[in-house]
């Protein structure tokens, strides 16, 4: 619907331009009205006398009047998005018709650069995603909604309210930055954050260089073009939509309860050869577990004088927080059923001289983890005016969004609510006997934070962001073919964070000191672009379309942070404001976060012959401040060709059931300069951490010197990605079947790679150099089938998309042995990037199995004193008879074999059912949660697997050398309180991350028009929706969607929030 | 308008908009200093200060401070017979691997120790190179800066040589801040001569006194030069290299005869904030802390504080039973050189046997007042069944130094990197080898006499009503302290050597030197394997562990250091052949 409205309105302007200076011949006059499929007037329809250039367009009421020469009797009615209708005039003087939409969508106009193009004439790999598909998923960003919607686009979502999504188009082209470029209403930005998704009209994804290279410099990772909603010519249309629902966690951790953990600890001591003992549990002769009455004092029984409540104290100098033992399910304590709601009110309309679209939105999502949430307010105004005989157009698109991320939660954090739920000791309660938060000060309870206390204390944390994004533009039509357009865009962001540090005296490593940190940053970007365009069809068969343009971009940002400690009170109205803290504890810092400029000159030339042979050339030159003048600019060319075989007679006769078949090939180069702003310069910093030393012996004030911060590389130049794309688009059987297929390669050369600096040079940051090469290749396929039956009362469609990419690092710095390790945590880095391998391959020991006997352990390659029954049998990769770090090998691949999405809609009369799912197949995940949950690591809780899936001897009292397996099929190693080796990174941590998730099931009902019109409504719809109701996966973690920040560590699950199962009810009303 | 004119107008508007100056695309770094901007006297002094910073163990990005701690509680402490990793089995498993002599080249602690020391080298070289571009500076100050930078460069390399058999040596002619490849040099030669050259040059040019206590004097450089020689005083099988030892002796004698330093009356003054930079100190690593900033504090030992109020974190670095037993004395107050470990100093019941009073300034044990905080009990440790009841103590500041910053454990308690007692005991070591046994005895007795000062003994304290309360019993001591000097002449060289080395262990217990002392004496494998055999019966997790002779005396070169040293596909750094 939205699509069609915009075509209608766009066409009005195009046609007004085309015909404003046309000379009309007076023969006889035919008048009439054109209506759309709903029986409403359709303005802007082209009415042409067939075989001439004589024509007109329908006015705002769908009416037209045209002079028809005597010898020409056929009128052609055409409108973008609708099937063309021909009518023989005969002796009629009034012709009224109704037009129906063209389901093939081939005549859609889509934005593919600094102009629009009909989908028919596209020769690059461009995928369009409809707003209605995006909006099927309630989400805080459009990028989350894009998941599973487009072949070749791989989206990993964050389940955290307000979280963003990682978007990768056609694999990973480089190591530094693989984020696509977003173009919102013509303004480029690298941020997806806080744009209201409901304002989006349409989204185009430019996947290959022949399409994207018009954005040259930053287009190497693909481009996502977003067009927001505009008004259409016609009466004001007012729309109100809302949904509300509730969310629950879709998965929960499988951990031990108090009694089970006692059994685990008993066995771990027994199998370690220790006499079982524990600061809390008491063990019977056969391992019977008795749970104490108190955990502080440790292991005290009921009536123990040490637990006399009068001894209770929780103040500096005397911490004696008496705490009863419990059997706490921490997951239940930290999660909840949480509401989500959204409201959107919009108005749009316009006349021939001006149109407008206004909207206001409010979105509020609370977290399934308690005390966190996200809310967003947004306003948008898009307007456009025409003057001077409609030859001058002035307009603007502007959005203001304000959002607020509340509370404290970070995926991957070791003490977040999710991690706490599987780590924190089940013997501990939420509160001690005095009602204060309970800590783990008793013996052998570990040093995790009380996970409920953590989120409770951070509930007043706020991160507030304000974003102003938009542009103002002016266009002049010099002639009907020749236009100049200038646009000035801005992207202004400012954010303010408040992070309140409430003391946690009960925490075993805690204290009584409170604190507060405030952060503030801003970035602004302006973009000025100028485009001169020309378009003309010669002799009705030679279509030319060309433009040249320039673009200048500047971005600058600064960061500021300050903090104080020791506030008198902990209430948010005190603790939020730095003035009230102890001034002697003041800290602050400030720096430049962003500083670059870009200047580009570009041009595009299209030619088609009868829309049958299509040809396009693009060339762009970019100059970036991130390179020194010698290597500052680079040119990115591209070309593509298309051949509409379906217009060839031989094809038509051989394959008549094809409505359309177009073969496409494109080649092009795109660039990347995401290397930080001052790559060329060697710089120094001056701070206490790196250069503060009390050389004069002061106990309180260090002198501060200088420390090298970054090694400069003055010789860096643009990285280039060269891509090839061969594809076809086909429509068959009266457009019931639509196919889009692409096969592609992308080769990134002169890859800007931050070569790991040799340690002897110091720790200054490395600069990027042009050294590496990465190849990606793959296939994208979109298949759709749609049909109607029972006179259109029954409608159905099924659309699927499927994409494959294969990634390979060809070269890093020319040295074969160069290895680049990823993120290290409490275990050494688990990913490696090396020539010949996919980016970020998992690296570690390969576990062949579990030793079933001492003989088997003895006959295997030695591994210190580790090998024993029940322990991992590590592969001796280099076959030197011993296990050492040289035996670490590639143990997994985070890249999927393929990803896919499937969308099914079924409609009967006023009911519509939509089912959407997406999945990933064949990707591995490094489940780091197991480090804490499955092994003898910290004191705290363990997973069910650590107890129930562990190898155990059938004869535990026998000497270890005689142990036989009680459960030879065990998957986890023997419980052993002395074992620190099993938890080293190994294939044990690697799990198949394949999943298929039913993301959305929606049943909607459109109220009958007859009923609505009685109350003045134009259109109304109610729906019920279920999100994430089913996930099919073998992955044992909470969420197989692992979003990792850096591309050298993919699929590392350090404790991710699971997705929510959400039930929603929604309403759309149109006046 | 005619079309032609319109087109002309359009084109001119277009080209007007395309004008773009170089100025628009030139961005000088904001908020950072440039290399050339620091080629001034202030600049080079600041860069030199950055090199000093690397003494502290912090200052290196991407590390935990304890990984590169100058106090060496991991590499010199828990790797020795003085201490266990402590806390619980799972925390910091990399330290457990070090404790178990399972030295893997990818161990992050080993990696960051390497990074930290060589960053120190790089910072010193950067100061030297920057100085070459500074014109307006007095010759005197120029020479001092060179001497200080060479002192630091020598020191960092010496620490590296203690850690690794074959680290490279990188000087200012190699280092080039503008060429990240410049320091990729092979580690194919013995670096002790270069270390000595740097320290000797520093010794020759440094003044006898410094206005700022953090800067090394001539005497400090002399002491470190002597230390370098002491580290070459024995070969791997324990035979002495008397020529080197005599070189050391010449230096050590000079320091002693200068009369500039003396032993403090109270042994504990070497471990308190209040008595920093005292008369015994030759060179200290300076720390500072304010309520607003703890980044120049003793972060490296932050974890190695008791697991109880007020520290709470994290119970690392627990003294071994073996070390506790070493403080036993006979009824004459002399150490039990051969039999000390035959029976344990008990902790469940009040131990009444005679003990060297230094024990309760070196480690925490149940029933004894811990500095001026409270009485040590088993709640000081995190898992009694794992690593026993003892704590580490020397680096813990007194109560007045606690809690100044956000994390109370962090303090300005300096690390006495070089103190006069070391000079005396090194000299004693040399005298034993060169045959002056009585001089050795006299030197050891100086140390013991100071320890015998009752003013410094830990008093008896009685637990009060709440956990933190205690009452000191005037005139009584926490244990039965017995200590005396060796009053009869030493006649047997082996016994004398044993006595000197035993004294070194007692005097410097838990100060991060023990592993390296065993290494330089060539007795690490023997000592540590004997230790493990007995200790494994007391701490189950140590059972079955062993130390590989001619291998574990040194750590492997970090794998990533080798990985990052490629030139033309070939690693310039070669792994220690023992690994």
């Amino acid at each position: 619907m939205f699509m069609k409205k915009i075509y209608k309105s766009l066409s009005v302007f195009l046609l007004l331009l085309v015909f404003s200076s046309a000379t009309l011949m007076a023969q006889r006059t035919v008048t009439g009205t054109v209506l759309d499929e709903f029986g409403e007037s359709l303005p802007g329809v082209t009415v042409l006398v067939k075989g001439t250039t004589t024509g007109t367009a329908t006015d705002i009421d769908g009416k037209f009047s045209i002079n028809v020469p005597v010898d020409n009797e056929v009128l052609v009615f055409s409108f973008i998005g609708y099937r063309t209708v021909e009518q023989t005039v005969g002796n009629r003087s009034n012709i009224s018709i109704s037009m129906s939409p063209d389901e093939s969508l081939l005549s859609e106009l889509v934005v593919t650069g600094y102009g629009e193009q009909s989908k028919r004439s596209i020769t690059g790999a461009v995928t369009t995603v409809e707003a209605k598909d995006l909006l099927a998923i309630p989400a805080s960003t459009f990028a989350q909604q894009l998941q599973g919607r487009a072949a070749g686009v791989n989206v990993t979502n964050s389940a955290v309210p307000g979280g963003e999504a990682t978007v990768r188009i056609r694999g990973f082209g480089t190591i530094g930055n693989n984020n696509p470029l977003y173009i919102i209403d013509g303004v480029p930005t690298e941020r997806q954050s806080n744009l209201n998704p409901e304002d989006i009209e349409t989204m185009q994804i430019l996947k290959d260089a022949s399409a994207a290279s018009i954005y040259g410099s930053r287009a190497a990772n693909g481009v996502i073009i977003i067009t927001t909603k505009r008004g259409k010519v016609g009466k004001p249309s007012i729309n109100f939509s809302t949904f509300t629902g509730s969310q629950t966690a879709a998965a929960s951790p499988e951990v031990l309860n108090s009694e089970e953990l006692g059994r685990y600890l008993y066995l771990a001591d027994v199998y370690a050869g220790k006499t079982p003992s524990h600061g809390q549990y008491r063990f019977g002769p056969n391992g019977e577990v008795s749970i104490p009455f108190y955990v502080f004092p440790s292991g005290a029984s009921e009536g123990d004088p040490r637990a006399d409540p009068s001894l209770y104290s929780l103040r500096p100098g005397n911490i004696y927080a008496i705490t009863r033992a419990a059997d706490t399910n921490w997951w239940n304590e930290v999660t909840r059923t949480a509401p989500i709601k959204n409201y959107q009110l919009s108005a749009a309309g316009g006349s021939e001289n001006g149109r407008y679209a206004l909207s206001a939105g409010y979105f509020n999502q609370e977290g399934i983890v308690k005390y966190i949430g996200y809310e967003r307010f947004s306003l948008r105004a898009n307007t456009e005016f025409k003057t001077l005989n409609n030859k001058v157009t002035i307009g603007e698109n502007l959005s203001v969004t304000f959002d607020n991320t509340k509370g404290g939660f970070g995926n991957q954090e070791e003490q977040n609510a999710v991690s706490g739920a599987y780590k924190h000791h089940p013997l501990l309660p939420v509160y001690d006997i005095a009602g204060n938060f309970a800590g783990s000060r008793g013996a052998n309870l570990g040093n995790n934070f009380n996970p409920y206390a953590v989120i409770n204390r951070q509930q007043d944390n706020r991160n507030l962001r304000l974003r102003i994004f938009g542009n103002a533009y002016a266009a002049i039509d010099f002639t009907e073919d020749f236009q100049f357009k200038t646009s000035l865009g801005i992207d202004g962001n400012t954010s303010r964070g408040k992070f309140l540090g409430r003391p946690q005296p009960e925490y075993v490593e805690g204290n009584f000191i409170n604190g507060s940190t405030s952060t503030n940053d801003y970035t602004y970007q302006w973009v000025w672009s100028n485009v001169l365009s020309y378009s003309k069809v010669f002799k009705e068969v030679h279509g030319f379309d060309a433009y040249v343009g320039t673009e200048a971009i500047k971005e600058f940002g600064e960061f500021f942070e300050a903090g104080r400690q020791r506030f008198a009170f902990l209430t948010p109205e005190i603790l939020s404001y730095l003035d009230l803290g102890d001034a002697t504890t003041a800290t602050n810092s400030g720096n430049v976060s962003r500083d670059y400029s870009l200047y580009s000159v570009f041009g595009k030339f299209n030619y088609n012959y009868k829309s049958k042979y299509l040809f396009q050339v693009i060339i762009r030159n970019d100059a970036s401040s991130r390179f020194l003048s010698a290597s500052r600019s680079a040119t990115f060319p591209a070309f593509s060709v298309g051949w509409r075989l379906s217009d060839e007679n031989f094809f038509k006769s051989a394959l008549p059931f094809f409505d359309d078949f177009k073969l496409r090939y494109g080649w092009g180069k795109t660039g990347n300069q995401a290397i930080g702003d001052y790559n060329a310069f060697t710089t120094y910093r001056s701070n206490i951490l790196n250069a503060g030393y009390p050389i004069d012996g002061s106990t309180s004030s260090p002198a501060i010197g200088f420390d090298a911060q970054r090694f400069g590389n003055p010789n860096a130049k643009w990285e280039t990605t060269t891509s090839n794309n061969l594809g076809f688009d086909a429509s068959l059987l009266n457009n019931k079947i639509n196919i889009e297929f692409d096969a592609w390669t992308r080769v990134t050369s002169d890859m800007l790679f931050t070569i790991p600096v040799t340690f002897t040079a110091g720790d200054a940051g490395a600069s990027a150099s042009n050294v590496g090469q990465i190849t990606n290749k793959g296939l994208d396929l979109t298949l759709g089938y749609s049909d109607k039956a029972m006179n259109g009362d029954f409608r159905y469609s099924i659309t699927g998309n499927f994409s494959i990419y294969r990634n390979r690092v060809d070269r890093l710095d020319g040295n074969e042995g160069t290895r680049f390790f990823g993120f290290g945590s409490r275990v050494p880095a688990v990913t490696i990037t090396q020539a010949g391998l996919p980016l970020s391959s998992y690296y570690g020991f390969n576990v062949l199995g579990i030793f079933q006997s001492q003989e088997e352990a003895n006959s295997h390659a030695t591994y210190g004193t580790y090998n024993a029954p029940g322990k991992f049998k590590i592969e001796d990769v280099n076959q030197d008879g011993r296990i050492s770090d040289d035996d670490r090998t590639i143990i997994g691949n985070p890249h999927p074999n393929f990803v896919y999405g499937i969308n099914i809609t079924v409609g009967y009369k006023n009911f519509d059912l939509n089912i959407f799912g997406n999945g990933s197949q064949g990707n591995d995940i490094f489940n780091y949660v197991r480090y804490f949950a499955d092994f003898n690591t910290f004191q705290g809780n363990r997973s069910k697997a650590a107890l129930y899936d562990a190898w155990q001897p059938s004869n535990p009292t026998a000497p270890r050398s005689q142990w036989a397996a009680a459960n030879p099929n065990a998957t986890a190693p023997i419980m052993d309180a002395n074992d620190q080796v099993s938890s080293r990174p190994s294939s044990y941590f690697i799990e198949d991350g394949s999943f298929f998730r039913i993301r959305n099931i929606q049943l909607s009902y459109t109220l009958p028009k007859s009923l609505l019109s009685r109350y003045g409504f134009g259109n109304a719809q109610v729906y019920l929706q279920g999100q994430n109701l089913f996930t099919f996966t073998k992955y044992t973690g909470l969420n197989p969607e692992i979003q990792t920040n850096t591309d050298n560590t993919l699929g590392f699950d350090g404790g991710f929030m699971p997705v929510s199962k959400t039930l929603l009810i929604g309403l759309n009303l149109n006046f | 308008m005619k079309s032609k004119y319109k087109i002309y107008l359009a084109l001119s508007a277009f080209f007007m908009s395309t004008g773009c100056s170089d100025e628009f695309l030139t961005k000088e770094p904001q908020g950072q200093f440039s290399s050339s901007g620091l080629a001034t006297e202030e600049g080079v002094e600041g860069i030199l200060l950055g090199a000093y910073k690397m003494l502290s163990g912090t200052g290196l990005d991407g590390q935990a401070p304890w990984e590169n701690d100058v106090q060496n509680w991991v590499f010199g402490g828990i790797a020795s017979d003085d201490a266990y990793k402590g806390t619980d089995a799972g925390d910091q498993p990399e330290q457990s691997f070090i404790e178990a002599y399972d030295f893997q080249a990818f161990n992050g602690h080993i990696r960051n120790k390497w990074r930290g020391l060589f960053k120190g080298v790089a910072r010193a070289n950067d100061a030297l190179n920057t100085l070459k571009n500074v014109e307006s500076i007095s010759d005197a100050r120029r020479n001092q800066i060179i001497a200080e930078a060479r002192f630091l460069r020598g020191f960092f390399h010496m620490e590296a040589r203690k850690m690794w058999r074959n680290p490279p040596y990188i000087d200012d002619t190699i280092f080039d801040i503008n060429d990240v490849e410049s320091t990729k040099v092979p580690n194919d030669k013995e670096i002790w001569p270069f270390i000595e050259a740097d320290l000797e040059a520093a010794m020759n040019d440094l003044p006898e006194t410094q206005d700022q206590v953090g800067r090394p004097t001539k005497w400090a450089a002399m002491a470190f030069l002597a230390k370098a020689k002491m580290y070459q005083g024995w070969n791997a099988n324990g035979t002495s290299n008397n020529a080197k030892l005599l070189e050391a002796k010449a230096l050590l004698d000079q320091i002693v005869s200068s009369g500039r330093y003396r032993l403090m009356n109270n042994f504990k003054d070497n471990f308190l904030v209040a008595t920093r930079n005292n008369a015994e100190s030759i060179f200290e690593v300076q720390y500072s802390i304010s309520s607003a900033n703890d980044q120049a504090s003793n972060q490296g030992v932050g974890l190695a504080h008791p697991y109880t109020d007020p520290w709470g974190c994290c119970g690392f670095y627990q003294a071994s039973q073996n070390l506790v037993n070493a403080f036993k004395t006979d009824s004459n107050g002399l150490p039990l050189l051969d039999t000390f470990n035959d029976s344990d100093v008990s902790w469940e019941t009040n131990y009444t046997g005679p003990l060297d009073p230094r024990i309760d300034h070196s480690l925490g044990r149940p029933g004894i007042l811990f500095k001026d905080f409270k009485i040590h009990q088993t709640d000081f440790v995190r898992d009694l069944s794992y690593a026993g009841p003892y704590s580490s103590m020397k680096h813990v500041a007194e109560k007045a130094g606690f809690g100044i910053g956000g994390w109370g454990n962090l303090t300005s308690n300096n690390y006495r990197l070089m103190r006069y007692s070391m000079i005396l005991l090194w000299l004693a070591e040399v005298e034993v080898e060169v045959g002056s046994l009585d001089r050795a005895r006299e030197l050891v007795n100086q140390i013991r006499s100071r320890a015998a000062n009752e003013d410094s003994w830990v008093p008896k304290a009685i637990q009060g009503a709440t956990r933190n309360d205690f009452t000191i019993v005037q005139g009584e001591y926490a244990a039965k302290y017995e200590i005396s000097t060796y009053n009869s002449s030493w006649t047997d060289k082996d016994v004398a050597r044993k006595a000197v080395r035993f004294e070194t262990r007692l005097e410097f217990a838990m100060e991060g030197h023990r592993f390296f002392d065993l290494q330089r004496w060539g007795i690490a494998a023997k000592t540590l394997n004997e230790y493990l055999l007995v200790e494994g019966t007391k701490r189950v997790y140590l059972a079955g562990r062993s130390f590989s002779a001619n291998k574990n005396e040194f750590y492997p070169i970090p794998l990533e250091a080798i990985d990052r040293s490629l030139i033309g596909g070939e690693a310039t750094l070669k792994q220690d052949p023992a690994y």
Side-chain angles (χ1 to χ4, degrees), chain A residues 852-869:
Chain A
Q852 302 293 334
S853 67
Q854 189 68 45
E855 293 76 58
E856 191 188 354
N858 291 346
S859 62
H860 192 64
T862 58
Y863 186 9
T865 56
Y866 174 74
N867 290 353

Side-chain angles (χ1 to χ4, degrees), chain A residues 18-271:
Chain A
V18 171
F19 296 109
S20 58
S21 59
T23 316
L24 302 178
M25 298 192 334
Q27 296 285 345
R28 60 177 167 145
T29 304
V30 175
T31 57
T33 310
V34 180
L35 302 174
D36 68 8
E37 73 273 27
F38 303 111
E40 289 177 13
S41 58
L42 196 56
V45 175
T46 311
V47 186
L48 266 181
V49 177
K50 191 171 182 179
T52 71
T53 55
T54 307
T56 185
T58 55
D59 66 12
I60 196 161
D61 297 318
K63 294 190 189 314
F64 69 95
S65 171
I66 188 168
N67 292 323
V68 182
V70 177
D71 54 343
N72 269 301
E73 297 207 317
V74 178
L75 287 181
V76 180
F77 297 82
S78 58
F79 187 69
I80 290 160
Y82 283 74
R83 285 191 201 199
T84 301
V85 176
E86 294 192 4
Q87 291 276 319
T88 307
V89 178
N91 52 9
R92 288 183 287 177
S93 61
N94 184 293
I95 297 178
S96 290
I97 62 155
S98 76
M99 295 180 73
S100 58
D102 182 351
E103 301 294 341
S104 79
L105 297 173
L106 277 181
S107 45
E108 269 180 44
L109 264 192
V110 293
V111 182
T112 54
Y114 296 82
E116 288 161 330
Q117 219 175 338
S118 87
K119 201 161 181 197
R120 229 178 132 72
S121 67
I122 287 177
T123 46
V126 178
T127 297
T128 298
V129 181
E130 304 289 332
K132 68 170 166 45
D133 289 338
L134 294 174
L135 292 178
I137 308 291
S140 46
T141 80
F142 62 86
Q144 296 188 330
Q145 297 171 324
L146 193 54
Q147 189 178 44
R149 294 295 183 182
V153 182
N154 207 352
V155 177
T156 313
N157 271 335
S158 162
V160 182
E164 301 200 343
T166 305
V167 179
R168 295 288 174 264
I169 297 175
R170 292 188 164 178
F172 294 77
T174 184
I175 291 179
N177 178 347
N178 285 299
N179 292 322
L181 179 68
Y182 302 102
I183 308 284
I184 304 172
D185 292 329
V187 181
T189 178
E190 286 161 36
R191 296 160 181 263
Q192 50 178 264
S193 65
N194 67 7
L195 180 81
N196 180 358
E198 297 221 22
D199 287 337
I200 295 174
E201 175 87 46
T202 175
M203 208 187 264
Q204 269 75 242
I205 299 152
L206 312 186
K207 297 188 286 195
D208 77 328
S210 68
S213 64
I214 191 62
Y215 295 108
S217 60
R218 293 187 291 169
N221 303 318
V223 177
I224 294 180
I225 299 178
I226 293 165
T227 310
T228 60
K229 291 172 185 168
R230 285 118 206 259
K232 66 160 192 166
V233 177
K235 286 176 293 188
S237 158
I238 294 177
N239 200 78
F240 174 72
S241 64
T242 180
F243 62 78
T244 179
S246 79
Q247 320 159 80
T248 52
S252 57
E254 305 237 320
V255 293
L256 302 178
N257 63 25
S258 287
E259 192 274 335
E260 289 173 313
L261 181 58
R263 276 194 278 144
Y264 169 91
L265 293 167
Y266 173 83
L267 292 171
D269 274 357
V270 169
Y271 297 148

Side-chain angles (χ1 to χ4, degrees), chain A residues 159-161 247-251 253 330-339 365-374 406-411 415-421 451-452 454-456 458-459 1038 1055-1060:
Chain A
V160 182
Q247 320 159 80
T248 52
W330 286 102
W331 182 249
N332 291 347
E333 298 297 335
V334 298
T335 56
R336 64 178 172 188
T337 299
Q365 180 181 14
E366 293 191 17
I368 51 167
V369 164
K370 289 172 182 169
Y371 301 114
I372 68 169
Y374 175 78
K406 298 184 263 191
F409 185 88
N411 275 325
Q415 296 294 341
N416 72 24
V418 171
S419 302
Y452 180 83
V454 169
I455 50 178
N456 177 282
Q458 295 184 10
Q459 62 180 294
L1038 297 186
F1056 276 77
M1057 188 181 285
V1059 292
S1060 308

Side-chain angles (χ1 to χ4, degrees), chain B residues 380-423:
Chain B
F380 272 51
V381 305
R382 184 144 151 206
D383 189 350
L384 185 61
S385 76
Y386 172 67
Y390 309 114
S391 313
S392 48
M393 184 197 261
K394 282 182 170 171
H395 53 270
V396 178
E398 64 271 35
K399 209 167 177 176
F402 176 84
I404 290 166
W407 184 17
N409 292 9
L410 302 184
T411 69
S412 58
N413 199 10
N414 282 359
Y415 177 55
R416 279 66 166 184
L417 182 53
M418 182 64 71
R419 62 179 204 254
Y420 187 55
S421 43
M422 290 172 190
I423 304 299

Side-chain angles (χ1 to χ4, degrees), chain B residues 542-560:
Chain B
L542 291 173
R545 304 282 161 83
S546 66
F547 179 100
S548 299
N550 300 315
K551 175 179 178 181
N552 293 141
E553 291 84 358
F554 292 89
Y555 295 88
I557 292 181
L559 195 63
E560 213 182 327

